[in-house]
Amino acid sequence: MQTDEDGRPTGEQAEYSVVAFETWGDSEAASLAAESVREQLIDQLPDALESVDVLVSHDGGHRSITVAYVVSKDADGDVLSTPDFGFETLVSKTPSEVTATVSLDGNHYTATYNVTVERMELTQS
């Protein structure tokens, strides 16, 4: 039973669930893989942290890593900002895949994730 700040029952019960290790492992490994890609890009392109996003994508069947080359535009379509390096430079510095392993209580989950680079345009109003 959950309680309020004074220790009185709120009438709500906390709900807990258990997920399969593989489900948890895939989610955690994908996050670790995305962080690894982010770190590799920052090592090679110091301004990458400010101008690209590294995301975990999930198509329902398998996770992948997406590196977003972000171009900001105003409402009229005029470019406000672009990364300090070209799209092709980002593609050449981005690994095509990354492998990550996570462990919990002696269980290990290893997965390899495809990495893609996409140009994304954000319109600011």
Side-chain angles (χ1 to χ4, degrees):
M1 180 80 60
Q2 290 183 332
T3 58
D4 63 16
E5 62 273 358
D6 296 322
R8 295 183 298 251
T10 62
E12 298 177 22
Q13 290 191 6
E15 291 186 30
Y16 301 93
S17 63
V18 177
V19 298
F21 176 75
E22 291 75 21
T23 302
W24 173 86
D26 189 36
S27 176
E28 291 297 311
S31 294
L32 185 64
E35 184 59 32
S36 174
V37 170
R38 184 177 292 110
E39 289 173 5
Q40 290 177 49
L41 291 174
I42 290 170
D43 286 346
Q44 296 181 52
L45 300 165
D47 295 329
L49 183 61
E50 297 173 10
S51 53
V52 300
D53 290 324
V54 181
L55 313 163
V56 176
S57 303
H58 191 277
D59 65 7
H62 190 264
R63 287 178 168 80
S64 62
I65 310 300
T66 301
V67 178
Y69 181 92
V70 181
V71 175
S72 296
K73 294 185 173 188
D74 65 16
D76 295 326
D78 297 324
V79 175
L80 297 173
S81 66
T82 61
D84 292 337
F85 45 86
F87 180 79
E88 292 303 321
T89 299
L90 180 60
V91 170
S92 71
K93 302 289 186 185
T94 302
S96 60
E97 64 181 24
V98 63
T99 300
T101 300
V102 293
S103 301
L104 179 67
D105 291 336
N107 295 306
H108 307 285
Y109 182 89
T110 300
T112 299
Y113 301 94
N114 292 328
V115 182
T116 58
V117 180
E118 294 181 11
R119 179 184 167 101
M120 294 187 178
E121 295 182 358
L122 297 178
T123 302
Q124 299 181 5
S125 52

